[in-house]
Amino acid sequence: MQAGTPERPKDNNGHSQSSALLVTFFLVSFLPLRILVTVICMPDFKLSASLEGHGDDVRAVAFPNPNAVFSASRDGTVRLWKLVSSSPPTYDYTITAHGQAFINSLAYFPPTPEFPEGLSLSGGQDTIIEARQPGKTASDNADAMLLGHGHNICALDVSHDGGWIVSGSWDSTARLWNVGHWETEKVLGEHGGSVWAVLAYDKNTIITGCADQMIRIFDTSGNLRGSVKNSNDVVRALCKVPPSNPTGAHFASASNDGIIRLYTLEGRLVASLHGHESFVYSLAALPSGELVSSGEDRTVRVWNGTQCVQTITHPAISVWSVAACSENGDIVTGASDRITRVFTRSPDRVAAPEAVQQFEEAVKGSAIPAEQVGKINKEQLPGPEFLQQKSGTKEGQVQMIRETDGSVTAHTWSSATQEWIAVGTVVESAGSSGRKTEYLGQDYDYVFDVDIEDGKPPLKLPYNVSQNPYEAATKFIGDNELPMSYLDQVASFITQNTQGATLGQAEEPTPAGGDPWGTERRYRPGDAANEAAQQPIPEPRPQVLPQKTYLSIKSANLKVISKKLQEINDKLLSEGPKEVTLTSSEVDALAALCGQLESGKQLADSPILENGVPLIFRIATSWPVANRLPGLDLLRLLAAAAPFVATTEYNGDNLVAVLLGSGIFDAPLNANNAMLSVRTFANLFETTAGRDLAISSFDQILAGVRSALSNAADNRNLTIAVTTLFINFAVYITSDGRENSPGSAEKALVLLEDLTKIIANEKDSEAIYRGLVAVGTLVKALGTEVKSAAKEVYEIDRVLSRVSGSGPGKEPRVKGIIGEMREAL
Ligand SMILES: *[C@@H]1O[C@H](CO)[C@@H](O)[C@H](O)[C@H]1NC(C)=O
Ligand SMILES: *[C@@H]1O[C@H](CO)[C@@H](O)[C@H](O)[C@H]1NC(C)=O
Ligand SMILES: *[C@@H]1O[C@H](CO)[C@@H](O)[C@H](O)[C@H]1NC(C)=O
């Protein structure tokens, strides 16, 4: 018997990792006799089919009928798997949607007269929900693109009766959309964080689960009807509890603390389901009234009432999603090993014996990283005879065994079969297994996958334990043209993940079936900032201050912008004012410019640029205020991509002067226009000419920003843009020898005054974090004059204490930066 304190697994969605450190104790009672289960309820689920094809984690699944399964993946595709033959079941897939970015959520809307095959709905990083009839292929146009969310879409559900769809996003809203109408019907605000889960409870009721740990109940008019605080952890999933469930609950929620809670609509907690050893990501209800759940402990669990009746371990790190077929009660799972799996209780639909055996072998052969299990005192572990002599006490209970060859294996108890099932071998680390990984024709001890930019394929970081981690990190950054600000972070990642490994050591046996974990170790520098960051911002490990590189906000969907622009132009042509519209050759010129922008590189002067920029400027300043968005959006992208934007004249003046002169920051404020203008100013720092313009317009820009902030009511988008701009000003005045110039200190004091006010009044953690990076850069890099002004005039201590005591102050990155600032002061 032993106790383990596993490291909390990495939350791939960028959420706080320390807030709910799970401490798991594996407890086994030594029962003298096996107690036979007398009531056999339902047969166990067995593998029915393994659906292979996705190139990356399967993040969401749907199971609309016994003949069709949908899966959505980080590989940017949605696949429809159709049953083509039975016993054993086999499936063929078609790719029904193909995008550039991670697809993270999926739902199926059942058939209607207008859409006789129903609709598949998918959403993810590109912030667009696509609605498609399943018979279409990826090359056909979607039936609808639902635009409105400002960040990753992580949850979708539908009400067939109500004819609506509900979506949840990292932008802290849920949205309600009517099928066929395809525009946001209602924005369900009031959320204090990402909306991780949405549930179409009935045709009049929507329930949301949020990273602010609250469950909210809304009606379809958008009124908040009630809310429940879900323990002290974020809500990751929701499902409706069927009336036949013995608890009498109406809905269930799952959380990062590993507990599933069952509530009535009135918010009364009626039961808690304990068993998962890590985050629970997904919930579904079976037609039998039972619930199923999946999570980061690589299991799917089946719950009869409050009793876990089956645990299905997967050969993967995360089981992201589980869905049930309401007709036959089969379930489907999507996991980080890229496989979608169907499980069944019906003997008719079980996979071929070889396939079942292959699955069991893969589970048994899984390598479980030692850090996931915690410290094991090998000497005190029982030997393999334990498995024959002792029973477990509870479904899904874990037991570690010291095998005769010295390795440590993990086993879980199955109460249905009254057996221990082997679920993997504990391995020290990928490197110590003595195996080498090949990269570009050379052998390395490790090849890590590094996700630098959302939606782009991961970059490979090869590493030999004989190398200096800093040299490997420097080469990696150089090879991939990354900012040097990642250096410390990448180097410390290498150190942490290769700890203790020395050249050529091979202490632990190589597990049978390879090491599926090795390839899945993923490092995502942007994770902590993902919540709101348009661009990854390094986590504060080991030190972020002073910030040395400029940040820009460049992510965009140019196709959508270009489409929107044409739509508005058409509308203006028919409804006026006609004099500001574009001719068809001007529309073509802009399409060409969008094409160039799509490359993401800096653009050299060219006729395309010289003709396009004045047109964009015209849209941004002379179209009706509510229609300027696409012009301003292009302007901010061009500000980062083309020095020409900063050097050219518009009506005889420079870009900053004319934008400010167009009244963009005046009341009544259009917050989106203001935000995009601030982003434009921030992006100017990407080019030398842009920096010169921004810094020479410092006073005017600051006056404009103040006016925008005072005319906007609590708009986090605007505040994030402003704090990003301030970081760039701070980087500028503290670099290239400017840190000692009197002009720098003067500007720093102005920035400090504005920043301390922003931070003191802000609730959004991304905005606060960015504000702190700006202030921290100033106080760390500049002289005593600035430090003492920060302390005495702007009472920075008080501001930091306030942040420490607030919600965002609990985030490791915020804690880290406050620590660094206190040290610098
Ligand atoms: C759930 O458990 C109860 C009590 O053991 C049993 O009577 C019932 O049939 C079970 N339900 C299902 C769906 O297996
Ligand atoms: C933030 O921006 C997104 C678009 O980028 C928008 O959908 C969302 O409503 C904005 N939030 C606020 C509070 O304005
Ligand atoms: C990495 O180390 C191994 C020896 O462990 C060596 O064979 C291999 O060539 C090294 N790779 C590189 C790229 O230096």
Side-chain angles (χ1 to χ4, degrees), residues 148-150 171 175 671-672 675 679 714-717:
H149 275 300
D171 69 7
R175 281 169 186 259
N672 284 331
M675 167 191 74
R679 287 183 177 183
D714 262 357
N715 184 307
R716 71 190 284 272
N717 290 343

Side-chain angles (χ1 to χ4, degrees), residues 39 41-42 246 288-290 304-305 345:
V39 186
C41 313
M42 282 268 193
S288 62
E290 294 160 292
N304 174 343
R345 277 171 163 165

Side-chain angles (χ1 to χ4, degrees), residues 436 439 442-445 462-467 503-504:
K436 305 271 178 228
Y439 177 63
Q442 298 217 45
D443 282 343
Y444 290 91
D445 296 325
Y463 179 70
N464 252 353
V465 288
S466 54
Q467 281 180 284
L503 200 56

Side-chain angles (χ1 to χ4, degrees), residues 73-146:
S73 161
R74 284 188 176 157
D75 69 5
T77 66
V78 175
R79 294 174 201 232
L80 166 60
W81 308 81
K82 281 201 180 130
L83 186 69
V84 289
S85 64
S86 47
S87 52
T90 53
Y91 293 77
D92 255 1
Y93 73 78
T94 47
I95 295 183
T96 63
H98 199 168
Q100 299 300 314
F102 293 175
I103 301 183
N104 293 322
S105 54
L106 185 65
Y108 174 76
F109 195 88
T112 61
E114 192 185 353
F115 303 107
E117 291 175 273
L119 288 165
S120 82
L121 302 155
S122 59
Q125 271 178 328
D126 70 2
T127 76
I128 299 171
I129 302 167
E130 278 198 17
R132 287 174 174 275
Q133 304 197 60
K136 294 195 165 177
T137 62
S139 54
D140 296 326
N141 281 334
D143 287 278
M145 306 239 273
L146 283 55

Side-chain angles (χ1 to χ4, degrees), residues 232-536:
N232 288 318
D233 222 322
V234 310
V235 184
R236 295 300 289 256
L238 291 168
C239 86
K240 186 168 177 168
V241 175
S244 53
N245 185 288
T247 61
H250 296 132
F251 68 92
S253 78
S255 152
N256 271 7
D257 63 7
I259 300 172
I260 298 162
R261 294 181 174 80
L262 274 58
Y263 296 95
T264 64
L265 275 182
E266 295 69 43
R268 191 165 55 84
L269 178 69
V270 292
S272 299
L273 313 185
H274 296 262
H276 277 290
E277 285 164 2
S278 186
F279 312 146
V280 186
Y281 291 135
S282 182
L283 285 173
L286 296 177
S288 62
E290 294 160 292
L291 300 180
V292 281
S293 56
S294 76
E296 181 73 12
D297 63 359
R298 67 197 180 112
T299 69
V300 165
R301 290 173 197 249
V302 184
W303 306 86
N304 174 343
T306 57
Q307 209 59 39
C308 177
V309 293
Q310 191 184 354
T311 307
I312 309 171
T313 306
H314 283 56
I317 294 182
S318 324
V319 187
W320 289 115
S321 181
V322 60
C325 177
S326 59
E327 287 176 43
N328 65 9
D330 287 358
I331 57 176
V332 61
T333 64
S336 59
D337 66 354
R338 307 169 179 193
I339 302 179
T340 306
R341 293 184 176 85
V342 181
F343 296 89
T344 185
R345 277 171 163 165
S346 160
D348 304 342
R349 295 193 295 275
V350 172
E354 313 80 71
V356 174
Q357 193 187 353
Q358 200 182 10
F359 173 71
E360 285 166 0
E361 289 294 320
V363 173
K364 190 172 163 195
S366 304
I368 306 168
E371 57 281 15
Q372 199 128 350
V373 182
K375 229 178 156 43
I376 299 175
N377 190 342
K378 240 184 179 179
E379 302 315 310
Q380 289 179 11
L381 291 180
E385 66 287 351
F386 177 96
L387 301 174
Q388 304 309 320
Q389 293 164 359
K390 312 279 184 191
S391 302
T393 50
K394 147 172 173 257
E395 170 64 40
Q397 167 190 348
V398 178
Q399 176 64 43
M400 298 289 166
I401 295 292
R402 178 170 36 81
E403 300 289 343
T404 44
D405 65 1
S407 64
V408 174
T409 54
H411 305 261
T412 62
W413 178 250
S414 162
S415 52
T417 60
Q418 294 286 297
E419 271 173 342
W420 292 101
I421 297 172
V423 293
T425 301
V426 179
V427 294
E428 283 307 318
S429 67
S432 63
S433 69
R435 286 184 314 120
K436 305 271 178 228
T437 314
E438 200 195 275
Y439 177 63
L440 296 181
Q442 298 217 45
D443 282 343
Y444 290 91
D445 296 325
Y446 297 85
V447 178
F448 296 108
D449 278 336
V450 180
D451 281 339
I452 286 289
E453 209 173 326
D454 281 355
K456 296 259 171 78
L459 304 173
K460 297 287 180 194
L461 165 55
Y463 179 70
N464 252 353
V465 288
S466 54
Q467 281 180 284
N468 175 324
Y470 272 88
E471 277 166 22
T474 309
K475 180 164 186 324
F476 171 75
I477 285 169
D479 289 349
N480 294 291
E481 298 178 347
L482 297 173
M484 277 314 271
S485 56
Y486 287 160
L487 179 66
D488 281 345
Q489 224 187 330
V490 173
S492 80
F493 169 79
I494 295 174
T495 315
Q496 277 168 20
N497 283 280
T498 58
Q499 245 157 19
T502 35
L503 200 56
Q505 229 177 16
E507 281 182 340
E508 294 295 322
T510 309
D515 179 8
W517 305 81
T519 56
E520 290 183 338
R521 275 161 191 267
R522 283 252 177 127
Y523 163 66
R524 299 167 193 268
D527 265 2
N530 264 349
E531 264 278 63
Q534 284 80 356
Q535 171 190 329

